[in-house]
Amino acid sequence: MRMTLSSAFVLMLVASTVAQEPGPMDRTKLYVSKPEACEALQSKGVDAFNDLDFTTLSFTDGIQGMEFHCGFFDVKSKANTSAVLVEAICEEPGFMYPDLIAIGPWDDKTIQVISSYDLQSAAMAEASGEAIDDSENQGQPLGVALYTRCDSLSELPR
């Protein structure tokens, strides 16, 4: 009996020190690919895009950049998971393609965005020996991006 109680106490202690999953994503907020973009958007509005190269993500408008857009057509969620699966159509000047995007919490203020199109493109570039610029990936593999939630915006920029 004594061994069982000790084992149970150890298990409770270990379980309490294990990192907890981040909470659910706030789908009503705007997220940005560069944390400093939140302040730039607050002070300059859409003119912030002229000064800083970044993209925004909102669950209503998709992913937006200066010459890039992914419209979200279907956002699917499932019970017992905080991640979502998004069907999107993305456009760049002169080019349009479908994408399947996984979005999940990274921490309490950051989400991880994983594009199947970008993962495939990165794999093909690597296989062909092309040089890949991953200097702005915040330590994430190509095709994976972190977006920071902007809590300080008084309104969403248009």
Side-chain angles (χ1 to χ4, degrees):
M1 179 71 169
R2 181 173 208 163
M3 184 64 147
T4 306
L5 287 175
S6 297
S7 298
F9 178 74
V10 169
L11 285 175
M12 286 181 2
L13 185 61
V14 169
S16 68
T17 60
V18 174
Q20 290 188 352
E21 259 316 285
M25 297 175 288
D26 186 343
R27 293 194 205 180
T28 65
K29 297 285 187 175
L30 183 74
Y31 293 82
V32 292
S33 61
K34 291 184 178 176
E36 60 271 22
C38 291
E39 186 177 317
L41 284 168
Q42 180 66 30
S43 62
K44 298 180 181 181
V46 293
D47 290 336
F49 286 99
N50 296 328
D51 300 336
L52 190 61
D53 183 27
F54 67 97
T55 54
T56 64
L57 182 149
S58 75
F59 285 89
T60 54
D61 294 328
I63 300 172
Q64 308 278 336
M66 277 299 281
E67 294 188 353
F68 175 76
H69 170 76
C70 281
F72 290 0
F73 283 80
D74 194 10
V75 178
K76 298 176 184 177
S77 57
K78 186 172 173 132
N80 300 323
T81 182
S82 52
V84 296
L85 184 65
V86 178
E87 294 175 358
I89 295 181
C90 302
E91 298 179 70
E92 300 175 23
F95 184 57
M96 178 175 67
Y97 58 92
D99 202 354
L100 194 59
I101 302 169
I103 304 173
W106 179 257
D107 61 29
D108 289 336
K109 190 173 176 158
T110 310
I111 58 174
Q112 185 177 45
V113 179
I114 305 164
S115 159
S116 62
Y117 179 85
D118 289 347
L119 286 173
Q120 180 183 12
S121 296
M124 289 173 52
E126 186 175 317
S128 68
E130 288 180 38
I132 301 172
D133 178 18
D134 64 352
S135 59
E136 294 200 16
N137 265 34
Q138 303 175 33
Q140 298 298 306
L142 290 172
V144 179
L146 297 179
Y147 280 74
T148 303
R149 186 178 67 232
C150 292
D151 289 327
S152 63
L153 291 178
S154 56
E155 62 182 49
L156 293 181
R158 292 274 170 206

